[in-house]
Amino acid sequence: MYLAADTASSSGGGIWGLVLPFVLMFAVFYFLLLRPQQRKTKTRNAMMNQLKKGDKIATIGGLHGTIVELNNDTVVLRVNDTVKLTFERSAISSVLTSAPAPSEKLEKSE
């Protein structure tokens, strides 16, 4: 009789002993993998939304150029004076130098 009572009480606490490690593993997984990836995606999307004509960029293939034309999904880059190449917008790796905003250009010329 005492043995049955001990088994029943230990199995009730045992469920928390089984669930707690999974909860801790998920928390570690979230803070080490998921959260940094979400932050990286958010900064990349912000960079993509701020692209404008005149920005000097680098593509994922290593090509450097200046943005001449922007569409929703494509970008036309001027590589030198005569060569213009069209890339997918997602192929942009980083912005090397940003072109001044139109209001900044007017202030400099005055």
Side-chain angles (χ1 to χ4, degrees), residues 52 98-110:
K52 57 190 172 295
S98 183
S103 62
E104 292 175 11
K105 288 180 183 177
L106 292 175
E107 290 173 5
K108 287 183 181 180
S109 64
E110 291 177 356

Side-chain angles (χ1 to χ4, degrees), residues 58-64 87 91 93:
T59 65
I60 56 176
L63 183 81
H64 291 239
F87 285 91
S93 173

Side-chain angles (χ1 to χ4, degrees), residues 62-77:
L63 183 81
H64 291 239
T66 304
I67 296 176
V68 177
E69 185 180 327
L70 282 167
N71 293 330
N72 288 336
D73 56 348
T74 61
V75 176
V76 178
L77 297 180

Side-chain angles (χ1 to χ4, degrees), residues 2-108:
Y2 293 115
L3 183 59
D6 289 338
T7 307
S9 66
S10 67
S11 68
I15 191 84
W16 290 109
L18 292 174
V19 172
L20 187 63
F22 288 111
V23 170
L24 290 174
M25 285 189 324
F26 178 76
V28 168
F29 181 76
Y30 176 77
F31 284 109
L32 291 179
L33 296 175
L34 294 177
R35 192 164 176 234
Q37 184 64 35
Q38 290 172 347
R39 188 177 298 155
K40 189 175 182 179
T41 301
K42 188 182 291 185
T43 57
R44 178 164 170 76
N45 288 339
M47 186 237 348
M48 290 293 195
N49 290 332
Q50 294 174 354
L51 290 174
K52 57 190 172 295
K53 291 181 182 179
D55 286 351
K56 295 185 189 310
I57 58 107
T59 65
I60 56 176
L63 183 81
H64 291 239
T66 304
I67 296 176
V68 177
E69 185 180 327
L70 282 167
N71 293 330
N72 288 336
D73 56 348
T74 61
V75 176
V76 178
L77 297 180
R78 185 180 69 230
V79 180
N80 60 21
D81 293 335
T82 59
V83 178
K84 292 181 182 177
L85 301 172
T86 304
F87 285 91
E88 290 291 321
R89 200 174 182 127
S90 61
I92 296 174
S93 173
S94 62
V95 176
L96 303 174
T97 56
S98 183
S103 62
E104 292 175 11
K105 288 180 183 177
L106 292 175
E107 290 173 5
K108 287 183 181 180

